[in-house]
Every structure is written in structure tokens, then in C-alpha cells.
Amino acid sequence: MRRRVSAALAGVALIAFAASGLGLRTSGAGEPEQANVSTTQAELSALREAYRRVDEAVYPADNPYSPAKAALGQRLFFDTLLSGERTMSCASCHVPTQSWSDGRPRGIGETGAAMKVRTPTLLDVAQIPILGWDGKFRDLENVAFTPITSASAMNLPEATLLARLRADPGYVRAFAAAFPERAAAGGSPEAISRRTVELALATFQRSIVSGEAPFDRWVAGDARAIGPSAKAGFALFNGKAQCAGCHSGWTFTDGSFHDVGVGAEADVGRAAFFPDSVQLRYAFKTPTLRDVTERGPYMHDGSLTSLRDVIDLYDRGGIDRPSRSTAIKPLGLTDAEKRDLIAFLKTLSADGTASLAVPPRLN
């Protein structure tokens, strides 16, 4: 279950903030109408509640969690054995200290060539139903071997990877511990297969969770956790700026695909799988906004350097074309409102590193 922001609640956000005395300022259009505090306080509480973290079971029935499987997945994730020249691991692009992305406009593979798209963060990836900027992966278990075997990424054939793992006694023991039923059926080396590599890596990656941010503390009831400008930005986010239409719930994404006026010509998004769809031609995945101030450059192609550039894009409505989402249109934001939005977005960055619900890395 993912909680969404109610459109009705978003519409009353400005009045709710003013009535509840949270320091929301206007931008030249006069003070918001006064409203009945007993009513708007309840509406405000519900709006904030829509962003409260939810404890959910994120491990699917066909890949349940086990400590041995998570530890194996973590070991694989950080091991350069998974690349052709043994120079690159999954963590080379999904860097823990860079909010599980890499800070580049485009990913860089083992050969040094730039990839087509920016490296997406793995923060809260367990909450995303379909993965990839264009949605090419139906679930997390089906991601791993595309970058591993791609000549533009890790450049390692599947058969070579499996042979390397089976030749390593430590991995043979680790796979047997993580998949005892497979080892019992065919012997310890037989526990090493494409599928068990996928299952182990997915189990580890599901444990990558965004850390607590000032915004989370504010949602939990700490009125001083974020400042007046950020509170004003939250109201704009759910109101005039219309951000919450796509960046919803505690993960700040609807998990869907939209043409927001970025990308052109051969830079095709979701329409790669639905070629007859005009609407999906330049539609790319809505990214999470967790740690967003730490994860520039922005957009699927890394084409925008700063958050101000992103807000300016949305303010002018991006490229006007038939495929552009009907939700994208000029907003008329003032400079003060843009600063408030950025102040709010800064409150989504965790105080520390993202948490991992797994043991320390194996050596």
C-alpha cells in the first residue's frame, strides 16, 4: 500500500497552514483567507500524514528475506569480480556516500564510455513497482544482469560470472548458506546460478532505505524541525506548484512515467515498449525526492545542473508538445516561491547516510 496526497487536501494546504499559525507567508497576493482552525487543523494533519513513513513488508513471497541471502547480496554488490576487467562493481555507480547514485550526468561503464541515462538512486528501491527510467525491468530481481552483461556497463558475460563464482570457495559456501535447498538438490556449486545471483542482489538492495530527514521529524510532530520557508515550500509543493501530483507519499514518487517536457528526438522513454503511444514517447520514471539536494545533476539525462534549473523547467512548462503530460503547464511562480520550494526540498535530505538492514560488508 502506498499513501497518496489527496487533491482536495492539497487544495486547502495554504489556508490550513495560515490558520494553524505555522508561519506561511504570501508572495504579494495578500494574506490567505482565515479559516476555522478546528477544521483546517484536521485537514493539515491528514495532509502531513500522507507523507508519514509506512512500515511495509518489502520482500516478495518468491524471494523472502534471510540474513545469509542479504549478506551474500551485499558482498556481490561491492565486488569488482562482477565486471569484465575486475575494475567495477555495482557500487561504482550506486555509491553509498553519494546517496546511492554517482553524481554524474550519465553513468560511466567499465570501458569509460558514457551510458544513455543518469544512474538512478537506489534509495527506497523496494517501494518502486517497475524499475528503470523507461520501465524496462518488471521487478528488482530482473535488473542485475542487464548492467553486468552490457558492453557499455560492467561488460561481463553471464557464463564467465558464474564460472568465477563457482571457482571461489568463499562464494560457494556463501551461496550454499543462502540457498540451502538448491545446494541440497544439486551440490554446493549448483546453488550458484543466474537466478540466485539475482535473488541475492535484490535482497540486499531492498534493504537500502533513506535515512530520517528533518521533514520526517516535522511530520512526526516536531514543529521546529523545519523552518518557515520550508513550511511555505511544502504548501506550494502540494498546491500552486503541483509537485505532489507525481511526487507523492513518503517516497515522493508515484512510481509512474510522465513526459515533463524533457528529452527529444531519439531520446525515447516508456514508448520504447509501447511504440504506438504518443503520450509515452518521452515519458520517464518519476524519481524519488529523498536526498534530492545531494543527487544532482537532474532529470533522466542529467541535463539540468541545479534544483533551481529543475523548478524553472516546471515553471515554464518544459517542451510544449502532444506527448507532454496534461499536468505540466506554466505555473507563474515568483522568485520567493522558488526559494521556498528549494528550502522544502532541502528538508528531505537525511541527517546521516541511508540505513541498511543487513550485516556489515563481508570481506
Side-chain angles (χ1 to χ4, degrees):
M1 177 189 69
R2 179 177 288 135
R3 299 185 209 190
R4 305 289 191 205
V5 177
S6 160
L9 289 173
V12 301
L14 293 172
I15 295 175
F17 272 91
S20 56
L22 292 176
L24 176 63
R25 62 176 180 268
T26 66
S27 301
E31 292 293 328
E33 283 182 29
Q34 294 300 309
N36 184 288
V37 173
S38 62
T39 301
T40 57
Q41 285 282 31
E43 292 168 338
L44 173 61
S45 177
L47 178 60
R48 288 166 59 172
E49 183 67 18
Y51 292 94
R52 186 183 293 274
R53 288 178 180 268
V54 182
D55 291 327
E56 299 176 299
V58 295
Y59 297 94
D62 59 353
N63 189 20
Y65 175 84
S66 77
K69 196 190 304 180
L72 171 59
Q74 187 174 16
R75 180 175 179 177
L76 288 166
F77 189 88
F78 288 95
D79 199 336
T80 57
L81 175 148
L82 272 67
S83 66
E85 299 299 322
R86 299 176 187 254
T87 61
M88 185 176 184
S89 71
C90 304
S92 298
C93 290
H94 299 285
V95 186
T97 56
Q98 295 189 33
S99 295
W100 301 89
S101 184
D102 60 8
R104 301 184 179 115
R106 307 287 180 101
I108 302 294
E110 190 176 63
T111 65
M115 301 180 199
K116 181 182 177 181
V117 293
R118 186 168 65 89
T119 301
T121 181
L122 294 179
L123 288 174
D124 304 317
V125 70
Q127 306 292 335
I128 308 300
I130 303 174
L131 297 154
W133 286 109
D134 58 5
K136 66 169 58 72
F137 306 112
R138 68 177 182 270
D139 57 34
L140 197 50
E141 280 74 12
N142 284 278
V143 173
F145 274 84
T146 293
I148 289 172
T149 61
S150 171
S152 64
M154 300 171 78
N155 197 30
L156 181 65
E158 176 183 331
T160 305
L161 170 59
L162 297 181
R164 288 181 181 181
L165 294 172
R166 288 169 182 159
D168 185 316
Y171 268 121
V172 171
R173 290 191 296 271
F175 273 90
F179 302 99
E181 69 291 344
R182 294 175 186 252
S188 294
E190 295 306 309
I192 299 174
S193 68
R194 176 186 176 113
R195 189 58 177 163
T196 54
V197 171
E198 291 172 333
L199 294 172
L201 279 169
T203 298
F204 167 67
Q205 290 172 76
R206 282 196 172 90
S207 70
I208 298 171
V209 180
S210 56
E212 183 183 68
F215 174 77
D216 297 307
R217 295 195 296 277
W218 181 61
V219 166
D222 181 355
R224 295 180 295 178
I226 68 176
S229 179
K231 292 169 185 174
F234 177 68
L236 287 161
F237 186 90
N238 291 283
K240 180 180 178 180
Q242 302 179 36
C243 310
C246 296
H247 295 285
S248 55
W250 71 268
T251 58
F252 288 88
T253 173
D254 62 0
S256 190
F257 306 86
H258 308 278
D259 177 1
V260 297
V262 175
E265 299 179 352
D267 189 12
V268 175
R270 187 68 172 141
F273 305 97
F274 299 91
D276 296 330
S277 173
V278 172
Q279 185 180 18
L280 295 176
R281 181 163 181 79
Y282 300 112
F284 293 92
K285 169 74 77 173
T286 303
T288 177
L289 296 181
R290 289 287 177 174
D291 279 10
V292 68
T293 56
E294 319 301 321
R295 293 194 289 103
Y298 302 99
M299 317 313 285
H300 73 282
D301 56 359
S303 59
L304 299 180
T305 302
S306 68
L307 283 177
R308 179 58 186 255
D309 292 338
V310 175
I311 292 171
D312 286 343
L313 168 79
Y314 285 115
D315 187 41
R316 66 177 180 267
I319 301 172
D320 187 1
R321 56 193 175 199
S323 61
R324 188 181 65 177
S325 169
T326 57
I328 303 298
K329 54 190 175 182
L331 300 171
L333 298 173
T334 67
D335 283 344
E337 288 171 332
K338 292 176 181 180
R339 289 194 297 270
D340 288 341
L341 277 171
I342 291 173
F344 165 65
L345 293 172
K346 288 179 178 179
T347 73
L348 303 182
S349 289
D351 299 317
T353 58
S355 61
L356 287 175
V358 293
R361 177 184 171 186
L362 298 178
N363 293 315

